[in-house]
Amino acid sequence: MPELPEVETVARRVRDPLVGRKICASRVLWQRTLGGMKEYEFRRLVEGKRVVSVSRRAKYIIIALNPAGFLVVHLRMSGDLIVCSERAPLEKHLRVAITLSNGRELRFVDTRKFGRFVYCDEIDTLDARLGQEPLDESFDIEGLYARFKTSRRVVKAMLLDQEVVAGLGNIYAVESLWRARVHPLTVAQSLSRKKLHALMEAARDILKEAISAQGTDLGDGVWKTGGFVPMTYGRAGEPCHHCGRAIKKIRVAQRGTEYCGSCQRR
DNA sequence: CAAACTCCCTGTTAGC
DNA sequence: TGCTAACAGGGAGTTT
């Protein structure tokens, strides 16, 4: 499932082919992908505009348009963006297609239909709802610690909350907790400053490694390109790479959560 | 107010 | 073997 590293990988892949291109046509094959906007409205707001930039915020891909507006893309579980010839055969799960002036086409393909490809006039409200970027130079660990100190939620739920830290999903939350040897059910306010530092250092290192590897290959057909290999996620019952004991699996915040009962103590 | 639950979807897999 | 049920999961919206 696309999380920060996978979204970053997609953004980088489509940036060059898109920036500077003009949108001359568009079509929508699954209406709900637009998040409630009517197709004719979407087309009116998008067609004729030029792509200014492609960036990432949390798990969103932001395509800025000139003279105004943004295409905000969320891949959710199974979404992907590709740029190909407008004459290329249509993908089975194609949801939105944006035809460019050079005969190429930006396509949003999304098997499970959870993804969103929406037009927004501005992105300030989106930005305001999202927490810190873990890889930003300005990442404020003390601000995060202050937030943890006031919460009785478990640490895994905090990591998954995009309002707290932006971009971590289930896989990288699980991996970060394991590397920092923090139990996923540790109550946020009981986590020491030292432990939180270790946890976020692990998270940042893992995210960087995963970006370098172009994401994680889960072998389930959802995300095939990445070379990052999880140490804990998806390995329930298999030996822990620290101590050799079997990895356990529980549910935390409605998500499957693998951890080592020996290495990660509360 | 914070925290937890529900819903949206389809492909894959476990279980009978 | 062939079927069904369970599972996977991010975030918006709703309920506790």
Side-chain angles (χ1 to χ4, degrees), chain A residues 172 175-176 179 202-211 228:
Chain A
Y172 297 109
E175 292 295 303
S176 301
R179 191 179 289 191
R204 287 161 59 103
D205 287 347
I206 285 168
L207 290 171
K208 285 183 211 162
E209 292 164 22
I211 289 172
F228 185 86

Side-chain angles (χ1 to χ4, degrees), chain A residues 99-218:
Chain A
T99 311
L100 307 168
S101 46
N102 61 349
R104 312 275 300 164
E105 197 162 71
L106 172 67
R107 292 180 178 177
F108 181 61
V109 180
D110 180 27
T111 307
R112 295 184 195 172
K113 299 178 174 175
F114 276 24
R116 290 294 177 263
F117 193 110
V118 308
Y119 175 87
C120 297
D121 286 322
E122 46 91 21
I123 50 170
D124 293 353
T125 50
L126 172 71
D127 191 60
R129 281 188 292 109
L130 294 167
Q132 300 189 60
E133 284 289 328
L135 295 182
D136 263 13
E137 292 298 322
S138 59
F139 182 75
D140 173 21
I141 185 78
E142 282 306 309
L144 189 66
Y145 183 64
R147 177 93 192 244
F148 268 59
K149 273 292 144 194
T150 64
S151 176
R152 286 185 293 274
R153 298 164 74 187
V154 297
V155 60
K156 171 119 188 286
M158 292 292 273
L159 291 180
L160 292 176
D161 187 340
Q162 301 300 296
E163 224 175 280
V164 178
V165 186
L168 282 181
N170 202 38
I171 297 172
Y172 297 109
V174 164
E175 292 295 303
S176 301
L177 288 163
W178 177 80
R179 191 179 289 191
R181 299 177 189 251
V182 174
H183 194 292
L185 291 177
T186 308
V187 174
Q189 61 186 186
S190 73
L191 199 67
S192 68
R193 177 181 267 112
K194 193 178 167 187
K195 275 285 184 187
L196 181 65
H197 272 263
L199 178 58
M200 292 316 297
E201 191 185 347
R204 287 161 59 103
D205 287 347
I206 285 168
L207 290 171
K208 285 183 211 162
E209 292 164 22
I211 289 172
S212 298
Q214 300 185 67
T216 300
D217 180 3
L218 291 175

Side-chain angles (χ1 to χ4, degrees), chain A residues 5 16 34 36 53 65 76 84 88 90 94 112 122 137 146 157-158 164 166 184-185 196 203 217 230-231 233 259 262:
Chain A
D16 259 13
L34 300 184
S53 64
L65 304 177
R76 290 283 180 96
C84 60
L90 300 186
L94 180 63
R112 295 184 195 172
E122 46 91 21
E137 292 298 322
M158 292 292 273
V164 178
L185 291 177
L196 181 65
D217 180 3
M231 294 285 107
Y233 178 86
Y259 73 103
S262 178

